[in-house]
Amino acid sequence: MSNTKETRKGLKRKFISLEDKIQILNRLEGGEKISSVAKSINLNESTIRSLKKNADNIRKTVANGCPLGAKRVTRTRNTNMVKMERALMIWLEDCVAKKIPINGNLIKQKALKIYEHLRNIGHSYAGQENHSFVASKGWFEKLKKKVHIAQY
């Protein structure tokens, strides 16, 4: 018993970059078998099957502009959220360039307007229609860390 615990403690989780995942998916689409792909890159077959099962989400993540070298993408982000944050950053840069005074509440309100606009013009994909966005304090704090804006 203790032997298995020691073995499990020694195992490290291997993270696969999006670029590697795309290469694996391309190999599978090319007709290569799951077992041969798994052996060639030293992964379990179940990992390769999971990648194949989630192929659409992986490709959407890459298409949404997530860096290919990203090692951790725990879940696929809502495409409207990604587009909204990009548009919000453009708006924010424009306000700074025009020296328009802005604060956190104004940024949150603008984010809500942009998100609703994207939903209304039909930029929803399967499974994302019911996603609702709340410009919460937590979302705003994460956004500030992500885009390195500290003054708001």
Side-chain angles (χ1 to χ4, degrees):
M1 248 325 173
S2 65
N3 204 8
T4 26
K5 286 184 180 179
E6 289 174 14
T7 321
R8 286 185 183 171
K9 286 182 181 177
L11 291 177
K12 296 263 182 177
R13 179 167 231 157
K14 184 176 180 181
F15 293 101
I16 307 167
S17 69
L18 284 174
E19 184 176 19
D20 292 339
K21 289 178 183 180
I22 293 294
Q23 289 174 356
I24 291 168
L25 292 173
N26 289 341
R27 287 173 67 178
L28 292 173
E29 285 179 1
E32 213 171 323
K33 291 186 178 184
I34 291 174
S35 58
S36 63
V37 173
K39 285 179 186 176
S40 70
I41 54 178
N42 199 24
L43 288 173
N44 287 330
E45 288 183 32
S46 62
T47 304
I48 305 301
R49 281 192 293 273
S50 294
L51 290 175
K52 185 177 180 180
K53 180 181 169 184
N54 296 319
D56 291 339
N57 287 336
I58 293 168
R59 293 192 188 277
K60 281 181 188 176
T61 300
V62 171
N64 286 337
C66 189
L68 285 178
K71 293 209 177 206
R72 285 189 185 186
V73 178
T74 54
R75 59 185 162 160
T76 307
R77 294 193 69 210
N78 180 306
T79 53
N80 285 342
M81 287 289 294
V82 173
K83 290 177 182 181
M84 179 272 298
E85 288 177 357
R86 286 183 191 153
L88 185 66
M89 289 303 101
I90 292 169
W91 173 80
L92 189 60
E93 289 170 2
D94 189 47
C95 286
V96 169
K98 292 178 180 177
K99 298 182 180 175
I100 297 172
I102 48 178
N103 60 28
N105 287 332
L106 186 62
I107 294 171
K108 290 179 193 178
Q109 290 172 0
K110 187 65 174 183
L112 281 170
K113 285 181 183 177
I114 294 171
Y115 185 81
E116 286 304 316
H117 175 71
L118 289 171
R119 277 187 53 177
N120 291 338
I121 62 172
H123 281 183
S124 292
Y125 297 100
Q128 295 182 351
E129 299 88 10
N130 297 329
H131 183 272
S132 61
F133 169 64
V134 179
S136 65
K137 183 178 178 180
W139 166 81
F140 187 58
E141 292 299 319
K142 288 177 187 174
L143 179 73
K144 288 194 313 187
K145 285 181 185 177
K146 192 182 333 177
V147 295
H148 308 292
I149 53 173
Q151 66 266 28
Y152 305 107

